[in-house]
Amino acid sequence: MNTKNESIAILGGGNIGLSLAKGLVKSGKYEPGQIIITRRNLRALADLAEAGYQVTEDNVKAVQFANIVVLAVLPQQLNILLDNIKEAVAPEKHLLISVASGVNVSDITNRLGKTVEVVRAMPNTAIAIQESMTCIASQNASSDNITKVKELFDTVGETIEIHEELMTSATALCACGIAFFLRAIRAASQGGIEIGFHAAEALHMAAQTAKGAAALLLINNSHPENEIDKVTSPKGCTIAGLNEMEHSGFSSALIKGIRQSSVKAGNLYVND
């Protein structure tokens, strides 16, 4: 992918926006000067400005600078942003990428009143270390632009194209999912402290163990139960611990949490 002629505006320098900017540069595919980031409080972007990124509080200026525009604000803030940049958006020039949860492609095009191509993307914060799981979908983008967005996010992790009606579910499983797995690692480290390890040791051991467990599935293309069976022996300590967790509702709690996050994600945007 030739990215030297690309310019990217990230409207909303929050956690996801900043993670995307840093991840793209870390991949080596983009220079900081190709990326402009907006935020109302520019002091929060001072370190990025020093690193060569362009920063501004003017969303219209950022849109005019770029040919790829990433809408990285909260769903509750999106309508105000779209109204602000409406006149600057040019369908023949711009490709819009929205990372706002629960906002359909048609919501954006209808608000703008323009037939600009829009691709929805749902990354997670691991994008900053090039380990994101990003889901993308669109109703109106060309195959070339969908490929462009996929290649863009492939530089910062793995990308999968899904149907748009599943994007809210992707938010719960992949974006919110980062927090769920981190909470599980935190709980494991607390268990480690209780059985005798110092806090830093327990956290490192738990995190590396979680990394290894994920790698077993991804590298071996294996199912969790197959790998679980390898470490559970009759009357052993692993099955005793697993059964205790299941008696306390471990799997059920995680499933319910994902479902609840999906419901909430679908109700974040109000199209008024």
Side-chain angles (χ1 to χ4, degrees), residues 58-239:
D58 188 338
N59 289 312
V60 171
K61 175 183 175 181
V63 171
Q64 292 170 338
F65 163 83
N67 62 302
I68 299 174
V69 179
V70 181
L71 308 173
V73 298
L74 295 173
Q76 302 92 322
Q77 301 168 333
L78 185 62
N79 284 346
I80 295 173
L81 174 62
L82 293 175
D83 290 345
N84 177 239
I85 66 172
K86 181 183 299 184
E87 297 304 318
V89 173
E92 67 279 4
K93 173 185 177 182
H94 289 120
L95 168 64
L96 269 55
I97 302 171
S98 170
V99 299
S101 301
V103 184
N104 294 328
V105 169
S106 58
D107 292 326
I108 295 171
T109 55
N110 290 342
R111 189 78 185 190
L112 291 172
K114 297 181 178 182
T115 56
V116 63
E117 293 187 31
V118 181
V119 177
R120 293 178 63 185
M122 185 46 59
N124 58 41
T125 53
I127 202 169
I129 57 168
Q130 298 171 259
E131 290 291 347
S132 178
M133 178 69 255
T134 302
C135 298
I136 64 171
S138 182
Q139 292 177 2
N140 70 350
S142 67
S143 58
D144 285 346
N145 275 337
I146 291 174
T147 298
K148 179 183 291 187
V149 174
K150 188 177 188 305
E151 290 177 345
L152 188 152
F153 282 97
D154 277 344
T155 66
V156 287
E158 293 193 20
T159 309
I160 183 173
E161 184 180 355
I162 63 175
H163 293 295
E164 189 180 16
E165 59 266 26
L166 289 173
M167 285 298 287
T168 299
S169 299
T171 301
L173 184 57
C174 300
C176 303
I178 281 280
F180 302 152
F181 290 113
L182 288 171
R183 180 57 62 84
I185 293 170
R186 173 58 175 154
S189 73
Q190 289 176 311
I193 295 168
E194 189 165 329
I195 59 176
F197 294 104
H198 291 293
E201 290 177 329
L203 180 56
H204 181 81
M205 293 163 70
Q208 178 59 38
T209 301
K211 181 182 178 182
L216 282 172
L217 303 182
L218 295 172
I219 294 173
N220 294 340
N221 194 26
S222 183
H223 190 279
E225 291 304 324
N226 292 337
E227 301 300 334
I228 288 172
D229 286 346
K230 294 176 184 178
V231 291
T232 52
S233 55
K235 297 184 179 180
C237 54
T238 302
I239 192 63

Side-chain angles (χ1 to χ4, degrees), residues 12-59:
N15 289 334
I16 287 293
L18 295 182
S19 294
L20 175 59
K22 293 175 182 177
L24 290 172
V25 171
K26 195 170 186 177
S27 75
K29 298 289 186 179
Y30 293 87
E31 297 294 330
Q34 293 176 262
I35 301 172
I36 187 168
I37 309 165
T38 71
R39 188 162 177 162
R40 283 178 290 185
N41 179 11
L42 288 183
R43 287 178 297 178
L45 302 178
D47 58 332
L48 292 175
E50 290 180 5
Y53 296 85
Q54 301 192 55
V55 302
T56 180
E57 57 186 7
D58 188 338
N59 289 312

